[in-house]
Amino acid sequence: MTQSTHYLSIDIGGTFIKHALINRSGQIVFVKKEATPENLADFKVVLTMILKQYDNQIKAVAVSCPGKIDSEEGVIYHGGALTFLHEFPLKAFIEKEMKLPCSVMNDGKSAALAELWLGQLKNISNGGVMTLGTGVGGGLILNGSLHSGAHFQAGEFSMLMMATEYPVDLGTIGGAKGSAVRFIRQATEKLSLDDRLDGRRVFEALETKNELIYPLFETYCRDVAFIMMNVQAVVDLEKIAIGGGISAQPLLIEEIKRQHQQILASFPIFSSMIPPVEIVPCHFRNEAGLLGALYHLLEEIE
């Protein structure tokens, strides 16, 4: 391990902060994790503790984080579930602590960059990643590069309007319709399970076409497919990779594909005007934020 060949990558999540030593080619030496604090003061203490573990071992620091991220200034806005990170200048904090270059990228966009670098979007000019979790995050690769938009907002599929009524019912926006957490909660309630987040039991029931929840599953996958159709109408992608823990279920990918095909078949003008997009699971799951953040860092410093 030398300063000239390894990087520190940090993936800040709602439950854990993962940190890894990674080389220039994306090979992970090791990964560790710490519990994510619940306030800014404790967050700074834990982050400093993580950074000090890598003194004299790294060339630079890459960070993936929830929220709206000004990736040029390295400032976090809103912070997703970590609201205490709002307006925190994370890049400046790390550079002051480590005296090394640092970059900060939104977690959904990091996932897209990981897939572009070493995953499902490698050699794809126009593609996207859609992460299904509490909401619907993701990132867009256009003309071979990440598209952040004028205000770093591009690829935030949670903000898509899925209804025409006003005032807007938050239950109808993309983040609610495509929420894997919401679907699992609804399914476990119908199955009368005590654990409202027991996705394993839900998919065991779905494999048997359980009549209590299969129609709910079809509706959920149809809503995800509608989100894809709206995105496809605007940016015309070759491939969309589905991320989030739920994407490990082959049945999910199969049903989203089926719903997508049904939508195209039901509207002839769609099938004639909008090319079908290839739908695949993300190659990276737990490592996506770590690798995508590093790819962004390497683009900045090299």
Side-chain angles (χ1 to χ4, degrees):
M1 282 180 265
T2 68
Q3 185 175 348
S4 62
T5 59
H6 290 82
Y7 300 85
L8 169 60
S9 192
I10 300 172
D11 184 10
I12 300 169
T15 305
F16 292 106
I17 300 175
K18 290 180 288 189
H19 47 106
L21 199 64
I22 311 179
N23 69 16
R24 172 65 181 77
S25 62
Q27 293 176 318
I28 297 174
V29 179
F30 60 77
V31 180
K32 298 179 182 179
K33 65 181 180 180
E34 319 292 338
T36 304
E38 297 180 359
N39 59 72
L40 184 58
D42 290 342
F43 176 82
K44 290 179 180 179
V45 170
V46 171
L47 183 58
T48 300
M49 179 269 293
I50 291 171
L51 294 170
K52 294 307 180 186
Q53 293 181 38
Y54 298 89
D55 271 340
N56 303 315
Q57 298 182 43
I58 57 174
K59 188 175 181 179
V61 182
V63 184
S64 169
C65 184
K68 183 176 179 179
I69 310 295
D70 181 335
S71 54
E72 294 176 3
E73 298 296 326
V75 178
I76 303 168
Y77 294 98
H78 309 298
L82 306 178
T83 54
F84 61 83
L85 291 178
H86 179 55
E87 297 186 340
F88 181 55
L90 182 57
K91 174 182 169 74
F93 178 87
I94 291 176
E95 290 185 339
K96 181 179 179 181
E97 288 288 327
M98 297 297 285
K99 306 296 189 292
L100 292 171
C102 172
S103 71
V104 183
M105 176 56 70
N106 165 268
D107 50 4
K109 293 178 176 61
S110 291
L113 287 174
E115 296 298 324
L116 173 66
W117 186 18
L118 298 167
Q120 292 278 21
L121 301 184
K122 188 174 182 178
N123 300 321
I124 293 291
S125 294
N126 297 286
V129 164
M130 186 178 293
T131 55
L132 306 177
T134 303
V136 185
L140 295 171
I141 305 300
L142 301 182
N143 299 317
S145 299
L146 179 72
H147 179 67
S148 294
H151 307 94
F152 310 100
Q153 186 66 25
E156 295 296 330
F157 305 123
S158 278
M159 298 295 105
L160 283 171
M161 298 294 181
M162 305 291 284
T164 57
E165 293 81 9
Y166 186 84
V168 175
D169 178 354
L170 290 180
T172 66
I173 66 171
K177 291 282 193 178
S179 170
V181 171
R182 184 192 196 206
F183 162 67
I184 294 298
R185 287 188 184 278
Q186 291 173 333
T188 52
E189 184 175 350
K190 286 183 175 292
L191 293 171
S192 300
L193 301 180
D194 292 332
D195 184 355
R196 290 291 190 252
L197 293 175
D198 194 344
R200 181 184 61 81
R201 294 276 300 278
V202 168
F203 274 90
E204 285 176 355
L206 289 173
E207 290 290 351
T208 65
K209 296 289 179 74
N210 185 293
E211 62 183 15
L212 288 176
I213 62 170
Y214 211 87
L216 179 69
F217 179 57
E218 291 176 308
T219 298
Y220 172 68
C221 292
R222 187 179 309 122
D223 287 338
V224 173
F226 274 128
I227 293 172
M228 289 182 176
M229 290 294 299
N230 288 334
V231 172
Q232 185 68 348
V234 176
V235 289
D236 188 15
L237 304 178
E238 302 164 61
K239 182 187 288 188
I240 295 178
I242 305 296
I246 197 171
S247 68
Q249 300 289 340
L251 186 62
L252 175 87
I253 307 299
E254 292 169 13
E255 187 60 32
I256 291 174
K257 288 180 178 179
R258 190 174 75 86
Q259 294 296 333
H260 178 254
Q261 291 165 355
Q262 284 189 347
I263 293 169
L264 285 174
S266 63
F267 296 97
I269 192 170
F270 279 16
S271 58
S272 64
M273 294 292 293
I274 302 178
V277 64
E278 184 180 357
I279 301 168
V280 296
C282 280
H283 178 75
F284 296 107
R285 294 189 178 90
N286 292 334
E287 302 87 4
L290 296 168
L291 290 170
L294 176 57
Y295 184 81
H296 174 244
L297 171 73
L298 293 173
E299 282 191 316
E300 283 203 341
I301 66 177
E302 295 183 3

